[in-house]
Amino acid sequence: QVQLVESGGGLVQAGGSLRLSCAASGRTFNGYLLGWFRQAPGKEREFVAAVAWSGGSTYYADFVEGRFAISRDNAKNTVYLQMNSLKPEDTAVYYCARRYRSGSYYEKSHYDYWGQGIQVTVSS
C-alpha cells in the first residue's frame, strides 16, 4: 500500500509563491511518473504537472505558463511543486498522484494512488 501526504498549502496573495510537497510511505515511487492535479469548487479535477522517474522529463498544463516547477527527490520519496506568480484562479485543492500505466500523463484514470489533497487559496 502507498500513502501520499501533501503539505505546504495555505493562503497567499496574488503574485505570491507556495511550495507543495508530497511524501510517500509504504511502497516507493521507484520507476513511476508522478503528477499533480487540482480541483476547484464545482469543477473537474485537472492535470497540473508531472515528472518522470528520472526527473529529467517534466510536463505541464498550458495554464501553468512557466509559473510552476515540478521536481522530485527519489531518495526522500518526495515530489514537489513550486508555484510562483500565483493567481486567484489557481485556488483549488491540489493532489499528488502516482501514474500506474503508461500513456497519457494528464488522464486521471492513469493514476492509481492519490493523496488526500491540500488547499491552496490565492487572494486578489
Side-chain angles (χ1 to χ4, degrees):
Q1 190 72 12
V2 174
Q3 254 195 327
L4 306 176
V5 179
E6 299 96 340
S7 61
L11 173 64
V12 64
Q13 287 189 329
S17 298
L18 282 174
R19 188 194 195 204
L20 305 184
S21 299
C22 174
S25 60
R27 294 183 185 173
T28 67
F29 285 146
N30 288 351
Y32 292 95
L33 178 142
L34 304 175
W36 285 96
F37 287 74
R38 70 184 188 183
Q39 188 167 16
K43 294 189 176 181
E44 293 282 324
R45 191 171 300 189
E46 63 180 352
F47 170 76
V48 177
V51 58
W53 155 245
S54 66
S57 296
T58 56
Y59 312 92
Y60 296 95
D62 290 343
F63 62 76
V64 168
E65 299 174 323
R67 300 179 296 126
F68 297 177
I70 188 171
S71 61
R72 64 191 291 168
D73 184 337
N74 292 330
K76 296 182 179 179
N77 278 336
T78 301
V79 60
Y80 306 97
L81 185 67
Q82 177 67 43
M83 304 187 294
N84 301 321
S85 302
L86 283 162
K87 305 175 182 179
E89 51 264 44
D90 294 317
T91 296
V93 176
Y94 284 70
Y95 300 86
C96 65
R98 186 189 80 168
R99 190 182 73 167
Y100 75 100
R101 55 180 287 188
S102 60
S104 166
Y105 48 81
Y106 54 82
E107 286 289 344
K108 296 186 294 293
S109 62
H110 289 197
Y111 292 77
D112 54 357
Y113 289 104
W114 293 81
Q116 82 287 350
I118 193 160
Q119 179 70 45
V120 170
T121 303
V122 185
S123 63
S124 57

